[in-house]
Amino acid sequence: MPPKTDTRLQFVAYHPRYAKDFKDMNEAWITKFFTMEDADHRALDNPQSYIIDTGGDIIIGLYEDRVVGVCALIKMKEGPYDFELAKMAVDPSVQGIGLGYQLGLETIQRARDLGAKKIFLESNTKLEPAINLYRKLGFQEIPGMNTPYCRCNITMDLEV
């Protein structure tokens, strides 16, 4: 896949027509490495009410009108963070070409556009390519936070 300057690659805001892609792409990576948890089902089964209607957003990466990447910003109700960067997934057929980085940049810019000052994410060090991507995007490891996920063993944040 060519770089972002290729007009066949675009990033668009969430629309309900992308709900199945958002769910399927995330379920694929989660079940490959872990087990789906209650918090996953809450976010993936109804992204409109869980993410969008509560002040968050979902960025959709399209290549030739095919969904190849997704990433959510979940609005935080309190605490030092404005959003959680979550549910990031890239189609395996296009992994390794920089799409995840471009999707991350788009999502961070969207957080800025929504007025965010600080965002965080939770992950697992088993996912080395993802952790390397987050570091490349500027995220830094922070001491653990309370998390609804059993699989998370690393928390990272970024001032946007």
Side-chain angles (χ1 to χ4, degrees):
M1 179 185 296
K4 186 180 178 225
T5 55
D6 188 318
T7 58
R8 294 173 292 179
L9 174 62
Q10 57 183 316
F11 295 96
V12 298
Y14 176 80
H15 183 278
R17 72 177 164 267
Y18 300 123
K20 182 174 178 359
D21 295 300
F22 180 68
K23 181 176 182 175
D24 291 350
M25 290 180 74
N26 274 287
E27 277 188 353
W29 79 260
I30 292 168
T31 58
K32 179 177 179 178
F33 297 102
F34 307 102
T35 301
M36 290 284 290
E37 300 181 38
D38 288 342
D40 296 312
H41 291 291
R42 283 193 298 275
L44 299 176
D45 289 346
N46 197 339
Q48 182 70 44
S49 65
Y50 188 81
I51 299 170
I52 303 298
D53 294 346
T54 59
D57 204 357
I58 300 172
I59 306 302
I60 306 293
L62 301 172
Y63 184 70
E64 295 181 335
D65 297 321
R66 179 174 69 99
V67 176
V68 293
V70 296
C71 190
L73 288 168
I74 299 174
K75 180 74 172 150
M76 300 285 80
K77 294 180 175 117
E78 56 187 51
Y81 299 102
D82 300 295
F83 293 95
E84 175 186 5
L85 186 146
K87 304 300 181 227
M88 183 181 217
V90 173
D91 185 305
S93 71
V94 295
Q95 287 178 349
I97 57 154
L99 177 68
Y101 181 71
Q102 292 174 23
L103 179 60
L105 290 175
E106 290 287 331
T107 305
I108 292 166
Q109 183 57 53
R110 181 65 181 137
R112 282 186 195 105
D113 294 346
L114 291 170
K117 301 292 183 226
K118 204 168 186 182
I119 61 177
F120 79 101
L121 62 82
E122 300 169 315
S123 192
N124 187 294
T125 53
K126 176 180 180 178
L127 305 172
E128 288 183 43
I131 301 302
N132 290 336
L133 168 65
Y134 302 142
R135 287 189 173 117
K136 185 176 177 182
L137 288 166
F139 283 87
Q140 296 182 353
E141 186 173 350
I142 58 170
M145 297 170 41
N146 290 335
T147 176
Y149 299 102
C150 295
R151 68 177 172 262
C152 293
N153 68 359
I154 186 171
T155 306
M156 305 175 85
D157 71 2
L158 175 71
E159 290 189 28
V160 296

